[in-house]
Amino acid sequence: MSDVIIDSEEFRDAISTVDQRGKRVWVNPKKPKGRFTNYRTALSAVLLLLLFAGPFLRINGHPLMLINIPERKFILMGVFFGSQDTFLLTLSMITGIIFIALFTVIYGRLFCGWVCPQTIFMEQVFRRIEYWIEGDYTRQKALNKAPWNSEKIGKRLLKHVIFFLVSFLISNTFLAYIIGTDKLYKYITDGPFANIGVLAALLIFTGVFYFVFSYLREQVCIIVCPYGRMQGVLLDDKSVVVAYDHVRGEKRGNPKKNKNNEPLGDCIDCGQCVNVCPTGIDIRNGTQLECVGCTACIDACDDIMVKIKKPKGLVRYASMENIVQGKKFKLNARVIAYSSILVILVSVVTTLLLTRSPMRVAILRAPGSTYQTEPNGNISNIYTIKFSSRIFDDFTPEVRLLKPEGKLTLIGSMHELKGGDVGQATVLVTLEKEQIQGIKVPITLGVFKDNELIEESEITFFGPVNKP
Ligand code: SF4
Ligand code: SF4
């Protein structure tokens, strides 16, 4: 058992997964079980189901989610976003960054432990396959040390083949999010060599996923993930994290070995919280960058507490302030204020997203043109209309003069507008000379889709200085 002294910062000089010679220390965590593990497993099952079913789910015939980066077309929860939604996208990203920062300040790495795809795939998919093939942590460690006999070769081969196949499945799912299931199905039915570039990309991504989940593993959270690196500046002693109650737990020690009858805390120094940790750390050292908030140590310690007939929660969700002051987590003013800001931010962005017009229209007078006077004295202006579609369907827009009464003539033809694309048209608006009451007359043009007005715009119609 480690003889850790609380308040010592020595453990911060090294990371638990690298030894003194700089070699990787392979982590074989004990299979966790308990209340939080069950909750996380249930949530992971729902999220995995959503992830894999996502490309096949449809709203009004369109995918629920599509992230088509090459064509800059995105669908989130059935709402279409195109290249002209840069403002909303930027706003959403800024909101996302503020959200992450505020959320982490209050709730620590709740995201990492419960919904991060890396944690879910690693702990709920790949680690489970490993437990199934190689057994729990003691058997895994024994297998690591065993010579390369037929049993070891067979188990390792089986594990890595399954890892590769699952990685291939994940790659295909991500590809379906990018190109849609119809195209993916076509690529599959065309055969692997008909689209060699796509196959190569798939294999590269499969290789990346396989490398991450079979080799890199917890190192992604410790050294690669930028969110993990930000924890040091986001967390403070009021942040709720998975924490060891050192006030209650210290002085740690096994009561059976306490020959001097020293007063001991509730921690019996059994090391179970360390055994289950997928990043190989000792939560009793305090909040550490490596902790992904997976709750495995809470379950492990609760199990021990039940066995030794002590209250659960020696390791629990708590802030350092809660622990030092011996108080339970309560909604304080800071939590309520930050949470309110989060709700307001998300509400504003959601409202902007849901209420945006299906079409952006910019109407400009044709460059260099003024008004034209027709032989009968009527006046006409030429306008260039630029359309930016914000809907998935292809359609041909129709432009009408809404106010005042007059004539609108399309110059050339109106082209079909592909979903999310931009297009333009030129129109000639003619007003009768009696309608021209000054140099500027406000007029309103409307853009219709299937006879439904989807956007209207007020513009200026120019007439002569002297009334005709
Ligand atoms: S310290 Fe606990 S919560 Fe943090 S990663 Fe390890 S087991 Fe998970
Ligand atoms: S599991 Fe609980 S009792 Fe055992 S070492 Fe960890 S904190 Fe102490």
Side-chain angles (χ1 to χ4, degrees), residues 33-58:
K33 62 177 170 47
R35 185 168 52 125
F36 283 102
T37 303
N38 293 342
Y39 295 152
R40 285 179 53 235
T41 305
L43 179 65
S44 301
V46 172
L47 293 174
L48 285 170
L49 192 70
L50 278 178
L51 177 83
F52 286 112
F56 299 95
L57 299 177
R58 296 272 189 275

Side-chain angles (χ1 to χ4, degrees), residues 106-125:
I106 308 169
Y107 305 106
R109 290 181 84 165
L110 210 55
F111 169 83
C112 302
W114 291 80
V115 288
C116 172
Q118 165 70 20
T119 310
I120 290 180
F121 275 118
M122 188 64 246
E123 302 308 324
Q124 303 289 349
V125 179

Side-chain angles (χ1 to χ4, degrees), residues 244 266-273 284 300-301 304-305 314-315:
Y244 165 68
D266 282 355
C267 174
I268 60 169
D269 206 13
C270 64
Q272 290 304 320
C273 51
R284 295 172 298 169
C301 189
I304 297 295
M305 290 299 114
L314 179 59
V315 180

Side-chain angles (χ1 to χ4, degrees), residues 191-211:
F193 301 109
N195 295 287
I196 210 82
V198 177
L199 180 66
L202 256 185
L203 289 177
I204 289 171
F205 278 102
T206 302
V208 171
F209 286 125
Y210 171 76
F211 176 69

Side-chain angles (χ1 to χ4, degrees), residues 138-150:
T138 46
R139 293 179 64 188
Q140 287 180 14
K141 285 179 180 172
L143 195 69
N144 290 347
K145 288 183 189 150
W148 282 96
N149 54 25
S150 57

Side-chain angles (χ1 to χ4, degrees), residues 282-351:
D282 186 339
I283 190 64
R284 295 172 298 169
N285 284 330
T287 304
Q288 294 149 77
L289 182 148
E290 295 96 320
C291 175
V292 293
C294 75
T295 69
C297 53
I298 299 182
D299 279 340
C301 189
D302 278 352
D303 192 37
I304 297 295
M305 290 299 114
V306 170
K307 283 180 184 151
I308 63 170
K309 297 191 172 49
K310 296 264 169 129
K312 288 180 183 178
L314 179 59
V315 180
R316 63 178 186 272
Y317 276 116
S319 69
M320 191 46 64
E321 196 178 79
N322 294 152
I323 288 173
V324 171
Q325 296 176 358
K327 290 180 186 164
K328 287 197 168 173
F329 170 69
K330 273 200 311 208
L331 286 179
N332 55 30
R334 184 179 92 140
V335 172
I336 293 170
Y338 281 15
S339 301
S340 306
I341 295 171
L342 293 182
V343 171
I344 292 168
L345 276 174
V346 173
S347 307
V348 168
V349 173
T350 309
T351 309

